[in-house]
Amino acid sequence: MSNVHELNFLKEKIQELKDQGVYRRLPILEGANEAEVILNGKRVINLSSNNYLGLANHPRMKKAAIEAVEKYGVGAGAVRTIIGNMDIHEEMEQLLAEFKREEAVMVYQSGFNCNAGTIQAITEKGDLIISDELNHASIIDGSRLSRADKTVFKHADLNHLEEVLKANRDKYRNLLIITDGVFSMDGDIAPLPGIVELAEKYGAMTYVDDAHGSGVLGESGRGTVDHFGLHGRVDFTIGTLSKAIGVIGGYVAGSETMKEWLSHRGRPLLFSTYLPPAAVGAINEAVRILMSTTEFTDRLWSNARYFKDKISQLGFNIGNSQTPITPVIIGDEAKTMEFSKKLFDNGVFVSGIVFPTVPKGTGRLRCMVTAGHTTEQLDKAVEVFKKVGEELKLL
Ligand code: PMP
């Protein structure tokens, strides 16, 4: 076999990861993704899931999924635009539009796909994409697929954003400002009222990826736009169905015109099979649950406040988090991974997040508190954080 087929060029890179202490194997769960799980054969408290509201294994969700399977089978059978579009898919979009208080919603197969498909469809050569420097990878990749020019503004920095807008307003047809609603690695909320004001002042469009705000912020989890009372003033709001909603899928909420265009040019909708009925049945149930009770979001927030208070009282740095995402910032990459391993050995799973997911030297243990955690589980996790922090001389 030739050298090329042995993939030696990749083996060298893999060795580099090992040398840097950031190599990892895929974790294996035995059972549902819940507050406490069996992971790689060990029972641990799970502080790394995006299952914010504990819906991923909720009996009502499972029942809805099973009923959808009974009626519609297990696969959509085609891409949406050919014959993969069922009445439950339509119902899903109507429910989501009502929930998000927007005219229309277009659902894709994932949040990643939604960014990859939407950004390239709404921009073209002669446009400029203006992106917060900490935006999610799927926004970066989605922007790369666009033929528009791209530039970044400093994280959440309205002065810098205004400079960029001022310098470019007359050079381009459309300007598109893209920001995460909630930043997934830090848990801070974008300064959306200021961004929207600047967009209106300079005639730019706004695009908010609210993957971590939907189901978390605003009335009953309606998201960051609702949290700030900005309905009707953001052009494109992205949400995911894989985190708080507990299933899979991603959507963009906005106008009917947007939806009409995406149904012709949203490439994942044209070239990738549509969501399976089980997922759609469960998604629809989740949206109904959110519209009928604040029980889940209330529990999420009381758990998050409880955990964040205790962790910061220990003296850990949790950055500027304003949401249930609680980054315990360690800094050094290898130390972060060592901390994560020791937590696991003591019965708590928190994935270490290091470069290239976050900037070099800002390695962190990103704790995700959910509505599903009990106070006992959170207390135990805090106790283990204290023990490991002391062992590693970080406290
Ligand atoms: N946007 C943001 C801000 C995210 O955090 C994520 C998930 N990590 C996505 C998009 C992608 O969503 P999904 O997992 O549904 O593909």
Side-chain angles (χ1 to χ4, degrees):
M1 229 201 298
S2 83
N3 225 4
V4 173
H5 293 300
E6 282 172 24
L7 303 182
N8 285 335
F9 65 106
L10 294 183
K11 285 180 185 154
E12 280 165 23
K13 287 180 187 291
I14 291 167
Q15 188 55 47
E16 278 170 27
L17 298 180
K18 290 182 177 167
D19 294 345
Q20 289 159 13
V22 295
Y23 179 84
R24 49 147 179 70
R25 291 185 191 284
L26 289 178
I28 301 173
L29 273 184
E30 292 166 40
N33 194 326
E34 313 183 275
E36 204 163 321
V37 292
I38 311 255
L39 178 61
N40 300 335
K42 186 176 164 72
R43 175 169 286 281
V44 287
I45 294 165
N46 172 12
L47 275 177
S48 278
S49 156
N50 293 321
N51 178 22
Y52 283 110
L53 301 175
L55 292 179
N57 192 37
H58 193 278
R60 267 182 74 178
M61 300 281 283
K62 292 201 273 195
K63 185 162 175 283
I66 291 163
E67 282 169 8
V69 169
E70 297 288 358
K71 180 163 181 196
Y72 296 92
V74 295
V79 301
R80 185 174 199 191
T81 48
I82 297 184
I83 189 166
N85 190 40
M86 295 160 166
D87 52 9
I88 38 170
H89 292 113
E90 294 287 316
E91 189 188 353
M92 168 174 66
E93 290 180 333
Q94 275 158 20
L95 280 165
L96 282 166
E98 190 187 327
F99 177 59
K100 297 297 284 187
R101 300 191 168 122
E102 295 285 347
E103 204 175 282
V105 160
M106 177 62 96
V107 173
Y108 291 75
Q109 303 88 337
S110 74
F112 197 105
N113 257 0
C114 182
N115 280 327
T118 304
I119 298 170
Q120 64 165 318
I122 58 172
T123 54
E124 60 186 31
K125 205 168 174 13
D127 295 339
L128 178 67
I129 294 170
I130 306 171
S131 198
D132 184 291
E133 64 181 340
L134 293 189
N135 277 345
H136 188 255
S138 55
I139 294 176
I140 298 168
D141 290 5
S143 300
R144 284 185 183 140
L145 292 171
S146 163
R147 298 182 67 227
D149 285 347
K150 295 113 204 167
T151 187
V152 293
F153 63 97
K154 289 186 198 138
H155 176 53
D157 185 333
L158 293 174
N159 292 329
H160 189 220
L161 174 60
E162 180 154 27
E163 273 172 37
V164 174
L165 287 164
K166 208 180 271 178
N168 290 290
R169 176 58 285 179
D170 296 333
K171 295 189 194 152
Y172 290 93
R173 183 192 66 159
N174 288 334
L175 305 177
L176 178 69
I177 304 170
I178 307 187
T179 181
D180 280 6
V182 172
F183 287 85
S184 57
M185 294 301 143
D186 295 273
D188 55 328
I189 305 174
L192 214 49
I195 291 176
V196 166
E197 260 174 48
L198 286 175
E200 286 168 353
K201 180 169 170 193
Y202 290 92
M205 296 186 294
T206 41
Y207 183 112
V208 178
D209 179 347
D210 210 21
H212 287 274
S214 298
V216 175
L217 287 171
E219 187 198 341
S220 275
R222 281 178 165 79
T224 307
V225 172
D226 187 82
H227 169 78
F228 286 119
L230 292 169
H231 289 290
R233 295 174 69 191
V234 172
D235 299 285
F236 307 94
T237 305
I238 309 306
T240 182
L241 303 166
S242 61
K243 303 185 195 305
I245 298 292
V247 194
I248 189 83
Y251 60 88
V252 50
S255 67
E256 277 296 348
T257 306
M258 167 204 81
K259 182 167 178 172
E260 224 179 328
W261 177 243
L262 293 177
S263 72
H264 292 88
R265 287 291 183 275
R267 288 170 70 83
L269 300 164
L270 273 57
F271 299 110
S272 180
T273 299
Y274 208 33
L275 284 170
V280 181
I283 290 163
N284 293 355
E285 187 65 5
V287 183
R288 286 195 194 96
I289 290 173
L290 281 179
M291 286 199 283
S292 65
T293 175
T294 59
E295 180 195 330
F296 293 85
T297 45
D298 290 348
R299 207 160 349 115
L300 168 67
W301 278 96
S302 69
N303 277 349
R305 289 197 183 101
Y306 183 81
F307 182 76
K308 287 168 81 170
D309 281 354
K310 296 232 155 176
I311 283 286
S312 32
Q313 277 161 21
L314 287 179
F316 285 111
N317 171 12
I318 63 164
N320 298 319
S321 169
Q322 297 162 277
T323 63
I325 298 171
T326 310
V328 177
I329 299 166
I330 307 296
D332 179 70
E333 276 74 22
K335 193 140 235 166
T336 305
M337 299 314 277
E338 191 187 356
F339 203 122
S340 170
K341 183 176 176 309
K342 280 182 182 282
L343 287 174
F344 186 78
D345 293 343
N346 284 279
V348 176
F349 178 67
V350 187
S351 163
I353 309 258
V354 294
F355 179 80
T357 309
V358 292
K360 273 208 170 102
T362 70
R364 65 202 58 192
L365 298 146
R366 176 172 165 261
C367 302
M368 306 294 281
V369 182
T370 73
H373 287 102
T374 62
T375 310
E376 292 71 43
Q377 287 165 337
L378 296 176
D379 284 343
K380 158 104 195 281
V382 170
E383 201 183 292
V384 171
F385 258 96
K386 180 168 186 286
K387 178 172 175 228
V388 176
E390 282 166 356
E391 261 172 48
L392 293 179
K393 305 203 176 349
L394 291 167
L395 287 180

